């Protein structure tokens, strides 16, 4: 069986922006259709699976405590996107170390990309496509992610 491709997905600043009007039921900034369409384009062009690395993954072991996560999961499903997994929550580590930890436990992964507006993603900076809260995941960032995932 061949290696799979993975998108490590942040939500805030990737699937939404500072102009996002949609809110979750609890009042957090939700996601925008434009950014969701750009994510779906990446998946369509690469066949990549999505691993949630965002703070939105917290309390995933008991979703009753994270209604925002349940709304996110339902919205992703509307676009045909299922979550392949979640990075671990390691309070003493930064996001990049959580991603690295997940990768070490998943030898099935070949190419991967990190979509995030945060900068604490070492040691895999060469797989990082930085987004900005001002606009979220745009066409340019999507095309960069496709190039990384397709090994170009």
């Amino acid at each position: 069986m061949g290696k799979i491709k993975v998108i490590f997905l942040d939500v805030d600043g990737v699937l939404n922006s500072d102009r996002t009007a949609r809110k979750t039921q609890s009042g957090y900034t939700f996601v925008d259709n434009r950014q969701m369409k750009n994510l779906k384009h990446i998946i369509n062009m690469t066949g990549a699976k999505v691993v949630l690395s965002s703070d939105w993954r917290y309390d995933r072991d008991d979703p009753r405590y994270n209604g925002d996560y349940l709304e996110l999961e339902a919205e992703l499903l509307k676009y045909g996107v299922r979550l392949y997994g979640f990075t671990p929550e390691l309070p003493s580590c930064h996001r990049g170390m959580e991603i690295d930890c997940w990768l070490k436990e998943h030898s099935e992964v070949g190419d991967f990309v990190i979509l995030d507006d945060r900068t604490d993603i070492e040691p895999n900076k060469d797989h990082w496509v930085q987004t900005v809260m001002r606009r979220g995941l745009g066409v340019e960032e999507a095309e960069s992610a496709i190039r990384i995932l397709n090994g170009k």
Side-chain angles (χ1 to χ4, degrees), residues 11-131:
V11 174
D12 296 317
V14 179
L15 294 183
N16 59 32
S17 71
D18 58 10
R19 294 181 294 229
T20 301
R22 290 177 74 191
K23 303 288 182 195
T24 64
Q25 288 184 357
S26 64
Y28 286 100
T29 304
F30 198 36
V31 299
D32 271 333
N33 291 331
R34 181 179 62 82
Q35 289 91 338
M36 287 294 299
K37 286 177 183 172
N38 287 331
L39 173 65
K40 186 62 179 173
H41 177 65
I42 296 168
I43 294 166
N44 288 343
M45 297 302 292
T46 65
K49 310 261 186 224
V50 175
V51 173
L52 196 63
S53 56
S54 170
D55 292 347
W56 286 61
R57 73 193 189 281
Y58 294 154
D59 293 323
R60 69 182 181 277
D61 294 331
D62 193 342
R64 293 174 300 169
Y65 297 117
N66 192 338
D68 296 322
Y69 166 77
L70 294 175
E71 284 186 66
L72 174 65
E73 184 178 48
E75 187 71 12
L76 289 170
L77 285 172
K78 285 181 190 174
Y79 286 84
V81 178
R82 291 187 184 280
L83 293 175
Y84 183 75
F86 309 87
T87 55
E89 296 173 43
L90 305 172
S92 62
C93 295
H94 60 78
R95 180 147 312 155
M97 293 305 293
E98 292 171 336
I99 290 170
D100 203 50
C101 181
W102 191 93
L103 282 167
K104 286 177 179 164
E105 295 176 3
H106 292 271
S107 59
E108 74 272 21
V109 176
D111 293 311
F112 67 94
V113 70
I114 302 165
L115 299 177
D116 208 317
D117 64 329
R118 289 173 46 167
T119 59
D120 59 343
I121 49 81
E122 292 292 351
N124 294 299
K125 218 168 193 146
D126 54 334
H127 293 266
W128 175 45
V129 174
Q130 185 177 17
T131 60

